[in-house]
Amino acid sequence: MQNVDIRAATPSDLAFLVDMLVEAVNWLPERDWSRERILADPALAHYVTGWMRPDDVGVVAVKPAGQPVGAAWLRHLTAADPGYGYVSDDVPELTIGVVESWRGRGVGRMLLRAARDAARARGIPRVSLSVERANFAAKLYAAEGFRTIESFENADTMVTDIRA
Ligand SMILES: CC(C)(COP(=O)(O)OP(=O)(O)OC[C@H]1O[C@@H](n2cnc3c(N)ncnc32)[C@H](O)[C@@H]1OP(=O)(O)O)[C@@H](O)C(=O)NCCC(=O)NCCS
């Protein structure tokens, strides 16, 4: 895509990843959770707490001058502290967000593909995620190879096998 590059995430991306976690939580316009509320909720904060751990994998979409416009990252959560899309300890869960003014231009799809490639390079066999069914992002995930393996009242857990 023109004018957006993808780079690997680094420890100094924490604040931007929190920004994107806030976007992911607030995908519904009528949901307006503050950064503080999200970081105070252990079920959400654990997607970014202590970033970056040795087994974290992330990619950031940046403008030519380096400003980030989106990010996708994978975090290994455990049975003792599972995420919404938990499948097993060896399957990291994906979080993705794009800055609002940059949505609908292909950045999300680029990030998904880059995250998959980065995970594959690390030998990660599968990636999971949780998506609220009403979010159009679910269709994007399906188009990029994720399939639903478990359904809850409003959300689906999706998984993709990324072994080459
Ligand atoms: C979900 C998200 C990461 C997708 O990134 P994006 O850059 O907007 O997506 P893309 O431009 O790559 O679009 C991917 C596909 O979705 C479609 N799409 C984009 N915005 C859409 C919208 N508002 N409604 C319906 N479809 C949409 C595009 O048409 C495209 O499909 P196509 O290539 O077949 O036309 C981004 O919109 C976002 O950050 N949303 C808020 C946070 C969120 O929902 N995170 C995920 C939580 S599970």
Side-chain angles (χ1 to χ4, degrees), residues 20-97:
M20 295 301 98
L21 178 63
V22 172
E23 296 299 327
V25 171
N26 290 320
W27 70 271
L28 263 183
E30 60 268 33
R31 190 183 291 149
D32 192 18
W33 285 34
S34 70
R35 191 182 184 91
E36 292 68 33
R37 178 175 178 182
I38 289 167
L39 290 178
D41 182 341
L44 294 170
H46 64 181
Y47 289 105
V48 290
T49 309
W51 180 267
M52 151 173 216
R53 296 178 184 153
D55 60 355
D56 285 335
V57 180
V59 289
V60 180
V62 290
K63 292 199 268 185
Q67 305 99 312
V69 297
W73 68 100
L74 303 171
R75 171 147 273 197
H76 288 83
L77 294 168
T78 63
D81 178 28
Y84 289 106
Y86 178 80
V87 172
S88 75
D89 286 10
D90 65 345
V91 178
E93 191 172 330
L94 179 119
T95 307
I96 185 169

Side-chain angles (χ1 to χ4, degrees), residues 23-24 27 96-98 102-109 130-131 135-137 140-141:
E23 296 299 327
W27 70 271
I96 185 169
V98 172
W102 278 82
R103 291 181 195 156
R105 301 201 224 172
V107 175
R109 195 185 294 277
S130 172
V131 60
N135 191 340
F136 84 87
L140 170 62
Y141 302 144

